Amino acid sequence: MEVAQPRRVVVATGNAHKVTELRNILAPWLNGIELVSGGEFEVPEPVEDGTTFAQNALIKARAYARATGLPAIADDSGLCVDILGGAPGIFSARWSGAHGNDAANRHLLLAQLADVPLANRGAHFHCAAALVTPQGREEVREGDMPGTLLTAERGSGGFGYDPIFAPVGSSRSNAELSPEEKDAICHRGKAFAQLAPVIMQVLLEQH
């Protein structure tokens, strides 16, 4: 088991893209804090069987905090489409049946809404960001990114549903925004901006 070290936090994922994104988002607040990729540890992927974003984020953070002895942060996020009653929601990553097949997920969602006019294609990204310490403290903060589901893919940046989502106030899709532009308004950025002071507090108490 990894021995806990001061001022280190493990990101409860082996997804290198997400680790990089979180490092960029948290950089203004977590000066001097090392965010360690969960991929550096041999932690079995926990079963995300929660019924909300917050529950699933906590499941992941608990698993990594327990396995590494470090404070762990995790998020669970997804796309919620108004006309679908909030779906795909927590099933966003596996909407087409295969977990993490972004292209298939986008294709299916566009097909399902093919006849829906733009005025009725309201949607938002939602994120629950969780912090769990080895001592058992648990905190969750949440954030939204409202916008519209497009009728076709646009842009080559981002990941997931970014090419078919345009945030409120923008004529471009998320995939056409720069990482800095997206981070400034995205659901994940909003959630972790609220969580950052709590992370700092926890680390200062442990130092």
Side-chain angles (χ1 to χ4, degrees):
M1 177 179 291
E2 175 80 4
V3 177
Q5 298 180 27
R7 307 185 72 78
R8 298 177 79 217
V9 177
V10 62
V11 182
T13 180
N15 184 321
H17 179 94
K18 184 172 285 189
V19 173
T20 298
E21 185 176 58
L22 286 182
R23 282 174 177 156
N24 292 336
I25 288 172
L26 289 169
W29 292 280
L30 302 188
N31 184 37
I33 306 303
E34 182 185 1
L35 292 185
V36 185
S37 170
E40 296 184 20
F41 304 92
E42 294 184 6
V43 181
E45 283 299 314
V47 177
E48 297 175 39
D49 55 1
T51 58
T52 66
F53 291 109
Q55 289 174 2
N56 284 331
L58 283 169
I59 287 169
K60 289 182 277 192
R62 287 170 186 151
Y64 278 80
R66 183 170 56 248
T68 67
L70 294 169
I73 58 173
D75 80 278
D76 195 51
S77 57
L79 179 66
C80 306
V81 181
D82 297 347
I83 202 168
L84 295 180
I90 61 171
F91 302 108
S92 293
R94 51 188 182 276
W95 190 237
S96 63
H99 191 282
N101 189 334
D102 292 346
N105 290 336
R106 293 192 300 266
H107 180 79
L108 176 59
L109 190 58
L110 287 176
Q112 290 170 325
L113 273 67
D115 298 325
V116 177
L118 201 59
N120 299 117
R121 298 171 75 93
H124 68 275
F125 280 109
H126 184 81
C127 174
L131 166 70
V132 174
T133 70
Q135 294 76 29
R137 179 172 177 176
E138 298 185 348
E139 301 281 351
V140 177
R141 301 292 185 272
E142 304 189 50
D144 288 324
M145 183 186 199
T148 302
L149 195 72
L150 301 173
T151 58
E153 296 190 18
R154 290 181 2 210
S156 58
F159 61 102
Y161 294 93
D162 282 346
I164 61 172
F165 180 88
V168 166
S170 175
S171 60
R172 293 175 292 166
S173 76
N174 273 7
E176 294 174 303
L177 301 176
S178 70
E180 294 76 20
E181 289 174 316
K182 179 186 168 186
D183 290 347
I185 60 173
C186 78
H187 52 303
R188 190 171 288 113
K190 292 175 182 176
F192 276 99
Q194 297 177 66
L195 192 63
V198 186
I199 299 172
M200 287 299 296
Q201 179 189 29
V202 165
L203 291 173
L204 289 172
E205 290 173 352
Q206 291 183 342
H207 191 62

